[in-house]
Amino acid sequence: MIELFNAAEIGRLRTAGQFVAQVLEALRDAADVGVNLLEMDALAARMIAERGAESCYVDYHPSFGAMPFGKVLCTSVNDAVLHGLPHDYRLQDGDLLSLDFACSVEGWVADSATSLVVGTPRPEDLELIATTERALAAAIEQAQPGHRLGDISHAIGSVAREAGLGINLQFGGHGVGRTMHGDPHVPNDGRAGRGLPLQPGLVIAIEPWFLLGTDEIYTDPDGWTLRSADGSRGAHSEHTVAITEDGPEVLTART
């Protein structure tokens, strides 16, 4: 079911979005050579506890997960691009790290993701990250009342194709609000002018993710982490966006 939220409810989602943005900022600052992924997860868990918020991930167990996720943060490194389960791994120079974080603040959920390079970057990694960010910006620009969901999806796919990247449609954006994953599904490619009409009050997570090589993925033996089929690196960018009478509002905007 698709929910539309009023101004007061979007205000509560804005509060949740601001907290999610703060946690991702802290995680980006903490990411460094030698830092353990479990330390990153522990930092996010402390911030959740101090805020009196609730994790959306710990007990999350959809059909594609082998078991409840058990952590509060997704940490995807190099050829991992989505749902990276934090484990005992210390970041190395040049690692491409994607961080995906969602939580509930007083019953209202926001979701966001960011990618960065730890230490010395490879130019192709920086360009891949920049491409996901361009795709996200292009999609947000289309999140206007009167437009259609296909306009958002088409904007993402157009940026990917222009960069010569494949597009995987198994996972994409989604509705967000009282729960982390709701309707509508927001594919990372589509036809402009088609699909759900966008109305004020709709809140969606838009999340382009791309791989440098193949667009095929497989699930790691940990039962959660999604990796590229050919070992190529991936990047992921995501914001929670409210469609308002005045246009899109990014609820998880970072400073």
Side-chain angles (χ1 to χ4, degrees):
M1 182 181 73
I2 294 172
E3 285 193 87
L4 299 179
F5 300 103
N6 61 36
E9 291 169 331
I10 288 177
R12 297 185 184 102
L13 286 164
R14 185 181 300 116
T15 298
Q18 290 169 347
F19 175 66
V20 166
Q22 290 168 6
V23 172
L24 284 176
E25 287 279 13
L27 292 167
R28 286 183 63 96
D29 289 344
D32 202 354
V33 175
V35 173
N36 196 299
L37 296 181
L38 295 176
E39 295 172 342
M40 304 282 287
D41 186 73
L43 171 58
R46 285 196 302 272
M47 293 184 72
I48 290 172
E50 290 167 0
R51 181 64 176 78
E54 295 183 10
S55 170
C56 291
Y57 290 170
V58 168
D59 297 323
Y60 185 53
H61 191 185
S63 59
F64 57 81
M67 63 286 191
F69 190 73
K71 303 294 181 184
V72 304
L73 175 69
C74 292
T75 54
S76 303
V77 181
N78 297 332
D79 64 321
V81 66
L82 295 175
H83 308 161
L85 186 63
H87 59 285
D88 185 13
Y89 173 81
R90 293 194 177 277
L91 292 167
Q92 300 178 29
D93 187 49
D95 277 347
L96 198 171
L97 171 66
S98 296
L99 302 165
D100 191 355
F101 178 70
C103 77
S104 174
V105 179
E106 297 177 352
W108 297 90
V109 175
D111 189 1
S112 187
T114 185
S115 293
L116 66 145
V117 177
V118 176
T120 309
R122 301 180 185 182
E124 59 268 30
D125 289 346
L126 296 179
E127 178 56 28
L128 180 63
I129 293 169
T131 302
T132 67
E133 292 172 347
R134 286 198 305 274
L136 180 56
I140 291 169
E141 188 175 341
Q142 293 300 318
Q144 306 281 349
H147 286 199
R148 289 182 176 268
L149 193 64
D151 297 323
I152 291 174
S153 298
H154 178 73
I156 295 171
S158 296
V159 171
R161 283 188 292 274
E162 184 179 339
L165 300 174
I167 305 165
N168 181 295
L169 297 179
Q170 291 173 258
F171 296 92
H174 49 87
V176 66
R178 301 177 195 274
T179 61
M180 178 171 61
H181 286 151
D183 294 327
H185 175 61
V186 186
N188 283 334
D189 196 16
R191 295 177 63 183
R194 303 295 291 271
L196 177 77
L198 303 179
Q199 301 179 60
L202 180 66
V203 179
I204 53 178
I206 303 173
E207 51 178 314
W209 59 275
F210 305 134
L211 299 165
L212 272 173
T214 181
D215 60 4
E216 296 183 5
I217 55 177
Y218 72 94
T219 304
D220 188 89
D222 68 14
W224 273 100
T225 303
L226 297 178
R227 298 185 182 276
S228 66
D230 64 355
S232 59
R233 295 185 173 208
H236 180 200
S237 294
E238 177 183 16
H239 274 310
T240 295
V241 179
I243 296 165
T244 77
E245 294 282 1
D246 298 323
E249 179 185 351
V250 179
L251 302 179
T252 51
R254 296 183 291 278
T255 55

